[in-house]
Amino acid sequence: DVKVTQSSRYLVKRTGEKVFLECVQDMDHENMFWYRQDPGLGLRLIYFSYDVKMKEKGDIPEGYSVSREKKERFSLILESASTNQTSMYLCASRSQENYEQYFGPGTRLTVT
Amino acid sequence: AQSVTQPDIHITVSEGASLELRCNYSYGATPYLFWYVQSPGQGLQLLLKYFSGDTLVQGIKGFEAEFKRSQSSFNLRKPSVHWSDAAEYFCAVGASSGSARQLTFGSGTQLTVLP
């Protein structure tokens, strides 16, 4: 079974802190994604990566950056956390040949 | 750009009743369509997908969905709902172009099941 893991299930940070959210997949997938999920808005794509060291902006990249130094790991970085970044963050991965995305359990981030 | 509309924010059904969750999409070419389910505090799990071929697609947990091109719809159905089906359901459409062939998700339908 494909497994996507995220470093934390719950995280509380203060405004202005630098925050790292880590995602690891074990299926050698080329593509990885970061979404945020907010009530009534569904999932919105922040960034995605189609290869190591490659990244592209999604629909809402402002205030975020990403890093993909190894194929299995995709990190989301909040350079200076703000309260409007309080949300559920979901990581996903998929193979190059397949549309199906596999999701991690999510990280619920609260910024106070 | 593609888009997905799930017109029902919240649906309540009794256990054993039938269920239909609506999904309408907008996409210029033949879409790739998905239904995902999210249980409380969990990530998303794929229920079923449509790429081509038979327009009635069977998925896990007894769910099915029908692709209707003329109506731009991909509604999810289940003949008899179980209490464990209470969750949030997301419809998604896949873009056939772009470097990573993204998915666009609807805003979700929350399902409550009454005993």
Side-chain angles (χ1 to χ4, degrees):
Chain A
D1 278 353
V2 174
K3 192 165 186 181
V4 180
T5 57
Q6 295 183 228
S7 52
S8 304
R9 294 298 302 274
Y10 301 94
L11 208 53
V12 180
K13 295 293 182 180
R14 294 194 180 277
T15 301
E17 279 193 83
K18 190 169 186 175
V19 181
F20 293 87
L21 303 182
E22 304 286 338
C23 175
V24 177
Q25 51 95 3
D26 66 357
M27 282 301 291
D28 203 36
H29 285 168
E30 293 84 3
N31 299 327
M32 296 187 74
F33 305 81
W34 274 107
Y35 297 89
R36 65 175 283 175
Q37 181 182 13
D38 301 288
L41 297 178
L43 277 72
R44 293 179 291 167
L45 182 65
I46 304 171
Y47 267 97
F48 62 94
S49 168
Y50 50 92
D51 203 348
V52 176
K53 296 189 185 295
M54 306 301 284
K55 60 186 179 185
E56 284 197 26
K57 294 179 180 179
D59 300 319
I60 52 165
E62 295 78 19
Y64 304 94
S65 62
V66 291
S67 172
R68 192 160 180 210
E69 297 297 318
K70 293 185 178 181
K71 191 174 186 180
E72 67 271 18
R73 188 179 299 269
F74 191 36
S75 302
L76 180 69
I77 303 157
L78 288 65
E79 294 289 342
S80 177
S82 65
T83 55
N84 63 12
Q85 293 178 309
T86 292
S87 186
M88 170 71 91
Y89 290 88
L90 292 165
C91 175
S93 74
R94 70 166 187 86
S95 69
Q96 192 66 22
E97 297 76 29
N98 197 341
Y99 267 97
E100 179 178 343
Q101 293 187 17
Y102 295 86
F103 283 83
T107 295
R108 186 165 293 282
L109 172 66
T110 301
V111 182
T112 62
Chain B
Q2 67 272 21
S3 66
V4 178
T5 301
Q6 293 181 247
D8 303 306
I9 297 172
H10 195 176
I11 283 183
T12 300
V13 299
S14 297
E15 190 169 18
S18 63
L19 172 70
E20 183 169 28
L21 303 183
R22 296 183 291 166
C23 172
N24 294 99
Y25 68 89
S26 173
Y27 186 59
T30 299
Y32 300 133
L33 295 161
F34 304 80
W35 274 100
Y36 283 85
V37 60
Q38 184 180 34
S39 297
Q42 303 297 315
L44 276 67
Q45 179 184 20
L46 181 70
L47 281 177
L48 47 79
K49 58 191 176 187
Y50 171 78
F51 287 173
S52 64
D54 193 347
T55 56
L56 185 62
V57 180
Q58 301 297 321
I60 62 171
K61 304 184 181 187
F63 285 92
E64 67 177 26
E66 186 170 11
F67 171 56
K68 293 186 177 180
R69 183 187 301 275
S70 62
Q71 298 177 18
S72 298
S73 69
F74 189 57
N75 294 347
L76 182 72
R77 301 193 296 247
K78 187 170 185 177
S80 178
V81 170
H82 188 263
W83 63 266
S84 60
D85 293 323
E88 190 158 22
Y89 292 80
F90 292 93
C91 181
V93 61
S96 58
S97 62
S99 55
R101 291 183 285 171
Q102 305 164 33
L103 294 182
T104 297
F105 288 83
S107 55
T109 297
Q110 183 69 47
L111 174 66
T112 298
V113 180
L114 299 177

